[in-house]
């Protein structure tokens, strides 16, 4: 039997995975801004779709690559949600969050190096933000919470042992694509505190325009939304045993074999392993 990954290996995997996510995902947004500045082409659904697709592809690739090492969280909201639900050890949370944040900063730095400092700053550095003239703090927070809740709800579902095996990365990438399409025009759809933090820090460090007043809306919304999304899935999953006896859906033989135990009806691992 292969030895389990060490803590250092897990943290390095999360750092590299989050760096890749930010470099490709947020980088695609910055690149779109750089190109638009030169061509004067107005931003449209075509550009939004390509940004969403870039996020989807990098998430699919990264989760397949490191899911068996660290779980492929690459998102502090996911890590916190797993810990709150009792499916991930709290002692590992600080290390994971630190690795993800450092990785996000490295990924964001890579954007500036690749596209050029001046052009990237002018294009917004891939930072997500909402328009304060048309949207208030509370609405921005709520939108980010909804987007993150949907993401984490799906993550909890696909790592349920009853889910179709092998499709977790595709499902996660796909839901990110879908969420960005609707949430992107409103808040930029960060739905990931590390993705937001990394680009924000680098944009500020290079003298770009950032809105410090919006930071709490994103961080509170994403962490709260993630936790609610995870708990919502657990609530539904724990109700499955009773639903099998009273509902019209086909019975779950595995739940029945477990004695219709609420605690035994679902086993959500701390990672995608």
């Amino acid at each position: 039997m292969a030895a389990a990954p060490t803590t250092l290996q897990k943290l390095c995997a999360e750092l590299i995975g989050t760096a890749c996510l930010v470099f490709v995902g947020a980088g695609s947004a910055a690149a779109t801004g750089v190109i638009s500045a030169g061509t004067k082409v107005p931003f449209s659904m075509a550009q939004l779709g390509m940004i969403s697709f870039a996020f989807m592809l990098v998430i699919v690739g990264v989760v397949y690559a490191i899911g068996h090492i660290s779980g492929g969280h690459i998102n502090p909201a996911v890590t916190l949600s797993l810990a709150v639900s009792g499916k991930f050890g709290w002692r590992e949370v600080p290390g994971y969050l630190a690795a993800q944040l450092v990785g996000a900063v490295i990924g964001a730095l890579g954007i500036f190096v690749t596209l050029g400092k001046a052009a990237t700053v002018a294009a917004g550095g891939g930072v997500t933000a909402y328009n304060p003239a048309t949207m208030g703090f509370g609405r921005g927070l709520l939108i980010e919470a909804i987007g993150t809740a949907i993401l984490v709800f799906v993550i909890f579902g696909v790592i349920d042992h009853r889910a179709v095996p092998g499709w977790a990365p595709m499902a996660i990438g796909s839901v990110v694509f879908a969420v960005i399409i609707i949430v992107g025009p409103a808040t930029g759809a960060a739905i990931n505190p590390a993705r937001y933090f990394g680009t924000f820090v680098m944009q500020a460090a290079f003298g770009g325009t950032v809105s410090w007043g919006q930071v709490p809306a994103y961080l509170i919304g994403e962490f709260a939304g993630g936790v609610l999304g995870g708990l919502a899935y657990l609530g539904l999953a724990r109700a499955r045993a009773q639903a099998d006896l009273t509902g019209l859906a086909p019975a779950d033989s595995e739940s029945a074999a477990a004695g219709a135990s609420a605690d035994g009806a679902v086993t959500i691992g701390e990672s995608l392993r």
Side-chain angles (χ1 to χ4, degrees):
M1 180 181 293
T6 65
T7 298
L8 180 59
Q9 288 173 324
K10 292 179 182 179
L11 297 183
C12 287
E14 286 294 309
L15 186 151
I16 294 170
T18 310
C20 291
L21 166 65
V22 173
F23 179 71
V24 175
S28 68
T32 298
V34 171
I35 294 172
S36 295
T39 62
K40 307 302 180 182
V41 174
F43 190 86
S44 68
M45 182 61 76
Q47 287 86 347
L48 179 61
M50 291 305 297
I51 293 170
S52 303
F53 197 48
F55 269 102
M56 175 183 175
L57 291 181
V58 71
I59 288 172
V60 170
V62 166
V63 176
Y64 269 125
I66 68 171
H68 57 286
I69 299 174
S70 67
H73 299 185
I74 59 174
N75 185 334
V78 172
T79 299
L80 180 65
S81 300
L82 288 168
V84 169
S85 65
K87 308 304 177 182
F88 187 70
W90 279 103
R91 66 180 181 178
E92 294 193 72
V93 170
Y96 265 60
L97 297 189
Q100 291 157 357
L101 294 178
V102 171
V105 171
I106 293 174
L109 177 60
I111 298 171
F112 283 81
V113 171
T114 302
L115 299 178
K117 173 185 171 181
T120 306
V121 167
V127 177
T128 55
Y130 57 82
N131 185 352
T134 58
M135 183 179 302
F137 179 92
R139 183 180 168 204
L141 185 154
L142 178 60
I143 292 171
E144 281 294 310
I146 292 172
T148 311
I150 294 171
L151 169 61
V152 175
F153 181 87
V154 170
I155 290 175
F156 271 56
V158 297
I159 62 175
D160 188 325
H161 69 90
R162 295 168 299 186
V164 178
W167 287 94
M170 287 296 297
I172 296 168
S174 296
V175 75
V176 168
F177 180 99
V179 168
I180 291 176
I181 290 295
I182 181 65
V183 176
T187 64
I191 60 175
N192 182 331
R195 177 260 185 271
Y196 179 78
F197 175 82
T199 54
F200 189 95
V201 167
M202 292 312 304
Q203 177 76 344
F206 283 114
T209 301
V210 293
S211 177
W212 291 96
Q214 293 186 12
V215 174
Y218 281 87
L219 298 186
I220 295 172
E222 290 156 8
F223 279 119
V227 170
L228 291 175
L231 294 178
Y233 179 81
L234 288 181
L236 292 177
R238 289 189 178 120
R240 281 284 297 278
Q242 183 63 26
D244 289 341
L245 300 177
T246 60
L248 297 177
D252 185 337
S253 59
E254 188 169 348
S255 294
S261 166
D263 292 331
V266 60
T267 301
I268 295 182
E270 66 183 39
S271 72
L272 301 179
R273 296 194 295 278

